[in-house]
Amino acid sequence: MWIIPKNSFAKSVITLMTGTGLAQALPIALAPILTRLYTPEDFGMFALYASICAMLTVLVTGKYDLAIVVPKYESEAVNLVALALLLSFSISLFLVVLLLVGDSTIVTLLGHPAIGPWLYLVPCATFILGCYYALNFWANRHGHYKSMAVSRVVQSGSAGAVQLIAGLSRFGLAGLIVGQLLGQFVSVLFFIFSFRQDARGMMRRVSLKRMVCVARKYVDYPKFMVPGQAMNAGASELPLLMLTVFYGPGVAGFYSLAQRVMTAPLSLVANAIGDVYRQSAAEQYVARGECLGVFIYSFKRLFAYAFLPMVPVLMFGPTIFAFVFGENWRAAGEIATVVSVLMFFQTVSLPLSNTVLLRGWLLLDSVWQLLRVLSVAAVFYISNVAGYGYMVAIIAYVSVFSVFYMVHSFLQYRAAHGEMRLEAGAV
């Protein structure tokens, strides 16, 4: 294993990679069964629900969860955790009120009445995910990589088991949505159980006054990161939303499966390296004001690993998908052939995205995110107005976003190098 040498960084990566690998392997192993129990339309509507949750979850913590690994003092970090949990509850409660007032308008905008009843589970999902992210970053701060890895396996295994049982019982869309929600809830319970011995000491350090203090000290995170991350989530989820609206839930189901299958093996290493890189880079910035060494180290390994799952899908995507998931899913393989190119550039760039935050380039990151979300909206809208089919729209999207990720990797390098130090308000 020349790519990952035997040192503490590598051991941490391998720990997270093992847990992430199991978490990714479980749904992939179940996918050939689930694709025969659920229709492409079921998967499309489920992906629509999951996309809505993903975009709204960006709001619930105020992105204070990202700051948990940064403070030098433990009292600040634990109050950031408490602040993220409180915000998650408050904003999710607001989403409930919003749904009660305007659910019909939202359903009309989405264009698919079948999603209506399931929108009421979205606030519950956003609260659970907000709690999970806060606890996950707390574990990341303290190097509890084993707990992070196990939580992912618990979440994936619980969700998969419920979805399988519900599919065999012919529950349809309900099985996919409820299964995912229960998996997320169980993973939060696991973190709470893991931290139970430290909970009393942690709670003694929490106070409303201290929460207000850390909220003010790290105000740049909600100020710049919420818009930036909301646009990032929008850029990631808009393709599926727009495919659903313009081309129907069946096409969205094909795209969802293609993206899911491609993301799983690529994120196996990428997420593990990204989690460990986040902590190592933060430590180096505190000590030396730059993190170029660990950045280049991580970039090279991500680049090498990104090729592995891309090549067979690029060459034989439709045949592989038809054989593994059933002939009805051949179109998903055609989409995966195109999407595999984008997944390569995304795998190299996203795990290192925290670099620009460490340098305080928050506004610069927000501008980059805005350009991405505007581009994806323009690509799909123009394709639809021009009367192009969904494959042309997806090819255009992949081309544009591959360029965006290359530019982002360059910005990360400049941030890691420690030159041309910018303020948060400068572009």
Side-chain angles (χ1 to χ4, degrees), residues 54-369:
M55 288 189 289
L56 291 176
T57 301
V58 173
L59 306 175
V60 294
T61 63
K63 303 319 295 179
Y64 280 111
D65 53 317
L66 290 176
I68 291 171
V69 300
V70 175
K72 179 179 180 180
Y73 300 106
E74 197 74 353
S75 59
E76 286 189 4
V78 72
N79 277 278
L80 282 169
V81 174
L83 177 62
L85 295 176
L86 180 60
L87 286 173
S88 296
F89 176 77
S90 302
I91 296 176
S92 295
L93 189 61
F94 172 76
L95 291 177
V96 173
V97 176
L98 188 64
L99 277 172
L100 291 173
V101 173
D103 61 337
S104 59
T105 303
I106 296 171
V107 171
T108 301
L109 290 173
L110 294 174
H112 295 283
I115 196 64
W118 303 108
L119 291 177
Y120 287 92
L121 288 181
V122 170
C124 183
T126 56
F127 173 63
I128 292 173
L129 285 171
C131 294
Y132 178 84
Y133 291 147
L135 296 175
N136 184 70
F137 276 105
W138 176 260
N140 195 174
R141 173 183 174 85
H142 293 279
H144 295 161
Y145 300 117
K146 184 177 180 180
S147 295
M148 294 168 67
V150 173
S151 73
R152 295 170 185 176
V153 176
V154 168
Q155 178 175 333
S156 180
S158 302
V162 174
Q163 289 173 344
L164 177 60
I165 294 171
L168 291 171
S169 303
R170 303 298 178 186
F171 278 98
L173 177 61
L176 292 172
I177 292 178
V178 174
Q180 184 191 59
L181 187 63
L182 289 178
Q184 294 163 348
F185 179 68
V186 171
S187 65
V188 170
L189 290 181
F190 169 80
F191 267 137
I192 293 174
F193 180 80
S194 299
F195 301 146
R196 69 190 186 283
Q197 294 181 347
D198 302 326
R200 184 174 299 176
M202 291 166 57
M203 292 303 297
R204 280 200 295 263
R205 301 182 181 188
V206 175
S207 69
L208 183 60
K209 182 178 179 180
R210 290 173 179 171
M211 289 167 63
V212 172
C213 287
V214 295
R216 291 174 176 171
K217 181 174 182 178
Y218 296 94
V219 70
D220 278 352
Y221 282 83
K223 185 178 179 180
F224 294 107
M225 288 306 301
V226 168
Q229 291 295 307
M231 288 182 286
N232 179 49
S236 299
E237 304 300 335
L238 265 180
L240 195 143
L241 287 171
M242 299 188 82
L243 283 171
T244 305
V245 173
F246 293 148
Y247 300 103
V251 171
F254 291 138
Y255 178 86
S256 174
L257 181 66
Q259 185 182 49
R260 182 180 179 186
V261 170
M262 285 304 303
T263 301
L266 287 169
S267 63
L268 170 62
V269 177
N271 288 343
I273 290 178
D275 285 333
V276 179
Y277 171 79
R278 189 181 299 115
Q279 184 195 38
S280 300
E283 290 177 350
Q284 285 196 15
Y285 255 103
V286 170
R288 304 203 300 255
E290 55 86 21
C291 63
L292 184 61
V294 70
F295 174 84
I296 293 177
Y297 180 91
S298 303
F299 182 88
K300 288 180 177 179
R301 280 140 188 82
L302 288 167
F303 191 93
Y305 275 114
F307 275 109
L308 298 179
M310 181 183 71
V311 175
V313 176
L314 190 62
M315 297 176 64
F316 310 109
T319 302
I320 293 172
F321 272 68
F323 175 76
V324 175
F325 304 109
E327 187 63 34
N328 290 338
W329 294 88
R330 179 176 290 273
E334 296 171 355
I335 293 174
T337 300
V338 178
V339 171
S340 64
V341 177
L342 177 60
M343 291 296 104
F344 167 77
F345 290 106
Q346 180 176 299
T347 300
V348 173
S349 178
L350 286 185
L352 308 179
S353 60
N354 200 59
T355 312
V356 295
L357 308 185
L358 293 173
R359 284 296 303 274
W361 294 6
L362 302 180
L363 183 56
L364 178 62
D365 185 69
S366 296
V367 171
W368 182 78
Q369 303 289 7

Side-chain angles (χ1 to χ4, degrees), residues 357-388:
L357 308 185
L358 293 173
R359 284 296 303 274
W361 294 6
L362 302 180
L363 183 56
L364 178 62
D365 185 69
S366 296
V367 171
W368 182 78
Q369 303 289 7
L370 176 60
L371 292 175
R372 289 176 68 232
V373 74
L374 291 176
S375 296
V376 68
V379 164
F380 282 97
Y381 179 76
I382 292 172
S383 296
N384 178 67
V385 171
Y388 295 131

